Structure formats: structure tokens, C-alpha cells
Amino acid sequence: MSGRSEQLCLLLAFIIFPLILSAQETVVTPDMLDSDPVYSPFVGRDFPDQVLFGDTHFHTELSFDAGMIGTRLDVDDAYRFARGEMVISNTGQPVQLIRPLDFLVITDHAEFIGLAPQIRTSAPELLGDPWGRRIYDLFNSGQEGRMKAFLEIIEVSTTPPFESPLSSNDAAWSIWREFVHEADQYNDPGHFSAMTGYEWTSTPNGDNLHRVVILRDGADKTSQTLPYSMFDSADPEDLWKYLSEYEATTGGQAFAVPHNGNLSNGIMFGERMSNGRRMTREYAEMRLRYEPLHEMSQMKGDEETHPLLSPEDEFADFENWDAGNIAGNRPKEESMLQYEYARSALKVGLKLGDQIGVNPYKHGLIAATDTHTGLATSREDNYFGKYQHTEPSPTRHNGEVVPAEDPNLRILTSQEGASGLTAVWARNNTRGEIFDSMRRKEVYATTGTRIRVRVFGGWDFEPGDVLASDFARTGYSRGAPMGGNLVNPPDAAVPSFIIRAVKDPDGANLDRVQIIKGWLDEDGETHERIFDVAVAGGREIGDDGRAREPVGTTVNIENATYTNSIGDAILAGHWEDPDFDSAEAAFYYVRVIEIPTPRWTTHDAAFFDIPLPDRVPPVVQDRAYTSPIWYTP
């Protein structure tokens, strides 16, 4: 060996040998983490530190009202698309998300699950059933027969006595078990959560009582029971009992999420039970246990509030569907509205909580697409409709989503909303973490954008806490997150809140951050008030807590473009309740609003060179709504 080589070997030995010794001698044991200080401040941190975006209400060809009217995308297509892959849509168009989703809950209808693919494949189980054979023959007899088959299915699903015309559940068992095993194959903990669920589709007299059921578990548990359908019962209370039995039988976990209260004609969030009797404490407890969330924005309208319910809210008239019920057979009456919208339901919950001791409507807020295309698109500039016939085309605006004999009750395709997404604060991207976050209501809704927002409420937050480098640690250690509770106020203390909001990195700047408060006074009457906490562009917030000057607009309607030359990328604020009364129950949630952008119909008009539809505005201000923080005396 040369002298130079010997020197190099000695040098390497001096460098590497101590490292080997160090590696051999340094043994980390659990007790060291408990007793000795460690350099990394993040060791042992156990609070949620990332936000995950997903769709929690989603249909493929397995749903009869998708597969029977043209949807061909299946479960595999759905999961691949949600993971960010390009797929070909039901109308032959390439489509892809700007960024993958973090999770997807496929919730095909429990009623007639898999009917369309059974017809297409001439499944023996279907052909061996008298009613199944009849529907099969009708569907294959031509366009008129297809329509007759679909209308017969709708009639069976919406008309008492709500009995399944199929003589056996064998086909449903086969399809369900195949589906939950497919979900397990696509589930990739840490990267993408493929979650399972289904929709329970109760529609008494055409009024909407639909719920999606979300399951925490994998196929080892979910395959043990068949999805509960309205043919089992049209009463929500029976659905909750079934979910309780599912948990007891399998050791799994599940809950239901009501949606489209705006199409229920006043029966979704009523002051009485489903059977019309006075609400009991036991009923309220069961509903609170198995319905912790409310899906309050999706393609069939945004249901935060309504101008008639919130006349002082200039942002209340947003994507409202308020003509009638989901079947289009009965018009809306003004008295129904308070039992249909999220904000008013939260207020009704305060009143019921005072009367019976349990608030049944203490729900967190989420959003979803309710797509029936197998495509989870929620952006205004990438809107692929929610049914096969509402995918992009120059003629789609005048199609009917809710046909009705009365023209005043019809809903056109142009009125579909691009919404929405559910945002979940969690530690890891796993089924369990996502489900648990939803269960504790540490979630928020967006109308399709990916705004990041976080809020904490407490008794001693100060303005400087908003600027803290350890914002989340400060919030958790001294307060409650969204979905939490404020209790036992110190003497003379008032609730204080710290909020941070960040724009969608591929979207519009922010206009403002608001807190919406609802409360119950000593006379048992409910109230609401809106406070602007942070506003963009140097505008001032007045003594009444509002910034009355609008943010302005940069939208070019003809070209369907906008710029981020107005608004702010980040808004943050500290707020104290100026009217707090420790004897009055209250809730507080945050609303974050973007600057104006072109609505999807405006993008259509520019792309296809067609007129703008007249039923909807050309611009929108997309938004996020956090789950409330409640105060209970």
C-alpha cells in the first residue's frame, strides 16, 4: 500500500470509527423521553398538526341514480381520480384534479346498490328475480323503456310503504363485499385514505331526510353487515339503532351525516321527533351520538343560512336552493326555512338543549360534492358536473336537475354548485385519524376551495397569541379548537378567539375572516350576529364590528378571469365577545370568504362561447365554515 493510501485509510478510520462507536453506544429508551429534555420540540407532540382535504359524499355507477342514467365510472376510477390520476369522464373527456385529495369516502346508495352494472353484465342474481328481470327487460328495450325503468325505481323509493321489490339481498351482499375489499386495496395509510360508507335515502312524501353513513373500519368489519336502506326503515331513529348494533356486533365505529336540509321542507332539523312527538332527552342523545356532523354545502345548494333567516348578512344569498323539496312536488313555505339551514339549526339546538337538557344539533360543519359521476371536482374552473348529463357541454346549462310539473319548482343544471370539500385536522392520513377528527368535530367545510383555517376559543387569549410561532400549541394548551366547548368562565372573563386563515395556494386571495355568533337569551329566544375579525386591503372595522366596504372585484366576466391584485393571502385576528353574558348559551363559528372569482357557468360561457345563464350570478365568493365552538352555562 502506498504512503498516500495509508494516510487516507488512517484518516477514514479516525472519522468513521468514532461514528461507529457512537452509533453502537447511543440507545434511546422510552424512559429517556419521559425524564430527559430532548432537543427536538416536536417529540411527543400529540395534537393535530396537518389539514387533510377530502370528499365525504360521493357516488359511482353503483348508485341507481347514477349508473341508470349514464355514469360508467366505477369504484376503481373514483379512487384513482381522487389520488390525482387522469381519467376519461363518462362523456369521453379527459379530466384531472389540480392536486390529489387526501381521502375519499364513497357513499353509494344502499337502495338498489349495483343495479346498473348488474343490468349491463346480465347478472344471474338479477335475472333470477321477477322484478329484477322486469327492470332488466325495460332498460334494454330502448330509450323509452330506460326512462320507464328509472321512473319505476324512483316511485318505489319515494312512495310508502317503502318495501323493496327485490325478493333477495344476495346481489347486494356480493356487490357490497366486493366494494369494501376494493377500498382496502386502495387504502394507503400515510398517503391516501380510501374510506367506505353508503347513503340512506329516506324521502317521505318527496321531502329529503337523506344521510350518508361513514365507517371507520376495513373490510374485516364492514363486510359483516349489509348497508341499512330506507326499505329497512324510513325513520332516522331506526338508522341510529342499526349503527349502534353495527358497533356492538363488529367492534367497529360509524356515524351518519344529514344533508340537504334545504330540500326537506322543514323536517330535517325540527323541534319534534320524526314521528311528530315532542322530542325526548333519549332521542336527542341518540341523534347527537350518531349525527355529530352536518353536510351543509354541496351541489344541491349551500345551506349555511338564507336571506330571510339572516337579513343583516350580506353574504347569506349564496347558492341557495329554496324552491321546494327534493322531489319537486311541494313548494317551500317561509316557516320551513328555520329547520333547514345550518345556522338556524344551531340556534334551534340551543333552544332544545335548554328545554330537554341535551342539544341534538350540536353538529360540526362539513361539505362534499354529492357527485354522481365518479369525479370529485369542486373547483369553479374545473367543473365536471354532478351527473353524466351535466358534464361539460355547450348545452348543459338548461338541463334539469330537479324536474317538476310546476316550472317554479324546477332546478336547472346552471344552478348546481361546484361545492364542496371537507377539511380535517389530524395527525396522520389514516382512516382512524380522519374518522376520529370528524367524530370530535375538528373539521370544517369549504365550498370547493382549499383554504386553511384554524380557530381556538378560550378565556385568556391575547392579541399577541395570534403571532406566536407555536400558534397551535398555544391554542390547545389554553383553549378549545373548532368543535370544542367553553365551560366554567373565570370571574368577569369573556370568550376570546385567535384565528389564522391562509388562501388556497392555487386559488383566490381572502376578503375577510368573520365570527358568527348565535345565542339564547333569558327569555328563550335565539339571536345571531356577525363580526368581522380581519379584513383585507386596509379597510376599517367599525364600532358595530363590521367592515361595510366591499373588497371590490377584478373579475373579467367575458374572459372568465380574475387577478389576486386585491385581497390578502393570509388573514389573522384576535377577537373578544363584546356582548358576552355568562348565563346565555352560545355558539361561535368562523367564516372565511375569498375575493370574487368567476362562477363555473361563467367559465362555461367563455369556453363554449355561449350566453351566461340568467338564474345565477356570474361571480361567486367561495368560502370556508369552521365547526362551532360552544359555550354552555
Side-chain angles (χ1 to χ4, degrees), residues 455-463 465 474-481 484-498 517 574-588 629-633:
V455 57
F456 295 95
W459 299 112
D460 63 351
F461 287 129
E462 299 177 354
D465 293 328
T474 298
Y476 282 111
S477 63
R478 291 166 45 200
N485 299 280
L486 295 174
V487 294
N488 302 324
D491 291 341
V494 301
S496 55
F497 299 81
I498 50 175
K517 176 189 177 183
H574 168 270
W575 179 82
E576 293 184 352
D577 185 352
D579 303 316
F580 178 66
D581 185 332
S582 61
E584 296 176 343
F587 62 81
Y588 306 83
I629 296 173
W630 287 266
Y631 166 71
T632 303

Side-chain angles (χ1 to χ4, degrees), residues 316-598:
D317 188 14
F318 180 73
E319 300 289 342
N320 291 140
W321 282 26
D322 56 7
N325 61 8
I326 196 169
N329 63 14
R330 193 158 62 99
K332 187 81 63 193
E333 298 174 11
E334 186 176 335
S335 61
M336 301 172 178
L337 295 174
Q338 64 177 315
Y339 304 116
E340 297 189 340
Y341 286 81
R343 189 186 301 175
S344 55
L346 290 168
K347 290 160 61 177
V348 171
L350 293 181
K351 184 183 296 186
L352 289 170
D354 182 62
Q355 294 172 356
I356 63 177
V358 175
N359 178 351
Y361 304 138
K362 196 174 183 180
H363 46 233
L365 304 179
I366 63 172
T369 64
D370 189 16
T371 184
H372 287 63
T373 63
L375 300 170
T377 61
S378 64
R379 287 175 62 94
E380 305 288 342
D381 58 1
N382 191 37
Y383 186 64
F384 263 69
K386 299 300 194 260
Y387 295 92
Q388 182 268 352
H389 60 279
T390 72
E391 289 189 5
S393 80
T395 60
R396 67 171 167 172
H397 288 181
N398 293 322
E400 293 183 358
V401 182
V402 178
E405 293 184 11
D406 183 349
N408 295 318
L409 301 183
R410 292 175 190 161
I411 302 295
L412 302 183
T413 300
S414 61
Q415 294 172 265
E416 285 186 1
S419 191
L421 291 173
T422 291
V424 173
W425 283 103
R427 280 303 312 271
N428 299 297
N429 187 348
T430 64
R431 286 169 168 172
E433 282 277 334
I434 292 168
F435 184 95
D436 294 347
S437 294
M438 289 194 283
R439 171 78 82 184
R440 68 175 181 267
K441 309 167 193 174
E442 198 167 357
V443 295
Y444 63 94
T446 87
T447 57
T449 180
R450 299 198 194 187
I451 297 171
R452 296 171 63 96
V453 58
R454 199 154 211 182
V455 57
F456 295 95
W459 299 112
D460 63 351
F461 287 129
E462 299 177 354
D465 293 328
V466 175
L467 305 176
S469 61
D470 55 349
F471 178 80
R473 185 182 297 277
T474 298
Y476 282 111
S477 63
R478 291 166 45 200
M482 62 183 78
N485 299 280
L486 295 174
V487 294
N488 302 324
D491 291 341
V494 301
S496 55
F497 299 81
I498 50 175
I499 308 163
R500 282 184 180 177
V502 182
K503 71 180 286 289
D504 183 328
D506 296 297
N509 276 346
L510 306 180
D511 168 2
R512 66 187 69 202
V513 172
Q514 302 175 308
I515 279 187
I516 286 84
K517 176 189 177 183
W519 73 96
L520 182 74
D521 68 22
E522 61 182 4
D523 297 320
E525 299 297 323
T526 58
H527 309 268
E528 65 179 62
R529 187 175 171 186
I530 301 168
F531 298 89
D532 288 320
V533 177
V535 295
R539 291 170 292 166
E540 293 187 359
I541 299 174
D543 293 337
D544 64 349
R546 299 302 311 280
R548 299 295 177 179
E549 181 184 357
V551 70
T553 183
T554 64
V555 174
N556 182 313
I557 294 175
E558 182 179 359
N559 297 326
T561 59
Y562 75 96
T563 69
N564 275 324
S565 57
I566 61 174
D568 286 341
I570 301 174
L571 288 175
H574 168 270
W575 179 82
E576 293 184 352
D577 185 352
D579 303 316
F580 178 66
D581 185 332
S582 61
E584 296 176 343
F587 62 81
Y588 306 83
Y589 69 88
V590 171
R591 182 170 67 181
V592 183
I593 299 179
E594 290 182 349
I595 64 172
T597 59

Side-chain angles (χ1 to χ4, degrees), residues 55 63 76 162 164 179 190 197 205 252 310 351 368 371 401 520 568 570 621:
D55 194 353
S63 288
D76 295 291
F162 306 124
S164 175
F179 161 58
N205 303 312
S310 304
K351 184 183 296 186
T371 184
V401 182
L520 182 74
D568 286 341
I570 301 174
Q621 286 187 260

Side-chain angles (χ1 to χ4, degrees), residues 198-416:
Y198 56 88
E199 180 167 357
W200 175 80
T201 322
S202 177
T203 316
N205 303 312
D207 298 336
N208 183 79
L209 281 181
H210 299 187
R211 270 84 167 161
V212 293
V213 171
I214 298 178
L215 303 165
R216 190 182 194 272
D217 317 301
D220 59 324
K221 295 176 181 176
T222 56
S223 63
Q224 295 181 37
T225 60
L226 195 64
Y228 195 78
S229 82
M230 64 164 295
F231 297 132
D232 297 302
S233 174
D235 188 337
E237 191 171 6
D238 290 331
L239 173 64
W240 308 331
K241 292 176 181 177
Y242 165 82
L243 296 179
S244 176
E245 293 169 1
Y246 165 82
E247 293 183 334
T249 301
T250 68
Q253 295 183 49
F255 58 73
V257 183
H259 60 268
N260 288 124
N262 60 330
L263 298 175
S264 72
N265 273 10
I267 65 172
M268 183 64 83
F269 301 112
E271 297 185 34
R272 292 180 174 271
M273 298 188 293
S274 300
N275 59 16
R277 296 177 181 174
R278 181 182 176 87
M279 190 175 294
T280 64
R281 182 186 181 96
E282 292 74 21
Y283 179 96
E285 288 175 340
M286 181 70 85
R287 181 158 188 163
L288 181 61
R289 170 70 177 80
Y290 285 105
E291 294 191 358
L293 303 174
H294 172 202
E295 179 192 304
M296 43 76 72
S297 191
Q298 54 134 270
M299 61 84 66
K300 297 187 185 76
D302 185 272
E303 53 190 88
E304 182 209 8
T305 191
H306 188 280
L308 294 178
L309 297 172
S310 304
E312 300 299 317
D313 185 352
E314 68 269 37
F315 296 103
D317 188 14
F318 180 73
E319 300 289 342
N320 291 140
W321 282 26
D322 56 7
N325 61 8
I326 196 169
N329 63 14
R330 193 158 62 99
K332 187 81 63 193
E333 298 174 11
E334 186 176 335
S335 61
M336 301 172 178
L337 295 174
Q338 64 177 315
Y339 304 116
E340 297 189 340
Y341 286 81
R343 189 186 301 175
S344 55
L346 290 168
K347 290 160 61 177
V348 171
L350 293 181
K351 184 183 296 186
L352 289 170
D354 182 62
Q355 294 172 356
I356 63 177
V358 175
N359 178 351
Y361 304 138
K362 196 174 183 180
H363 46 233
L365 304 179
I366 63 172
T369 64
D370 189 16
T371 184
H372 287 63
T373 63
L375 300 170
T377 61
S378 64
R379 287 175 62 94
E380 305 288 342
D381 58 1
N382 191 37
Y383 186 64
F384 263 69
K386 299 300 194 260
Y387 295 92
Q388 182 268 352
H389 60 279
T390 72
E391 289 189 5
S393 80
T395 60
R396 67 171 167 172
H397 288 181
N398 293 322
E400 293 183 358
V401 182
V402 178
E405 293 184 11
D406 183 349
N408 295 318
L409 301 183
R410 292 175 190 161
I411 302 295
L412 302 183
T413 300
S414 61
Q415 294 172 265
E416 285 186 1

